[in-house]
Amino acid sequence: MLSMADTQQADEQTAVGAAAATKDEKRAGKRAARLARQIRAFADSHGGSAEGQLAHIARGSVRIALVGANGEWGNLVARTYDEAKDAAARAGLTLHDDFDGELAAKVRTGRYEWSRMAGLQLGGPANA
């Protein structure tokens, strides 16, 4: 049988855990809001809209690959998949399941990317 002191201590631990979870949720919400602003800024500066794809890149990191309406591309990194998905939703980003086919066809690469892909074969910069 639990005494009154044991019950009170368990309630206090639950309250502390809930407060920590709320604090973490607030931080995640702030990070998602910041990412959403960055996504909107990218879209605005690259044709007015953007599409994207989310991918786990490492433990604790999710890449948000962005492709602007003009074909320019970029990446952002979120801490969690949920944070990345929240940021994309806040920004109104159209998400694709994969970065192939339709989305990949929209990417416009420039001279720099082609020279980096070709490396030394075509006189591109060396991988130093």
Side-chain angles (χ1 to χ4, degrees), residues 33-59:
R34 184 180 72 245
L35 285 167
R37 285 191 302 274
Q38 292 172 324
I39 292 168
R40 283 192 300 271
F42 175 87
D44 290 345
S45 64
H46 295 290
S49 66
E51 299 177 47
Q53 188 259 341
L54 307 180
H56 293 278
I57 55 174
R59 187 175 184 176

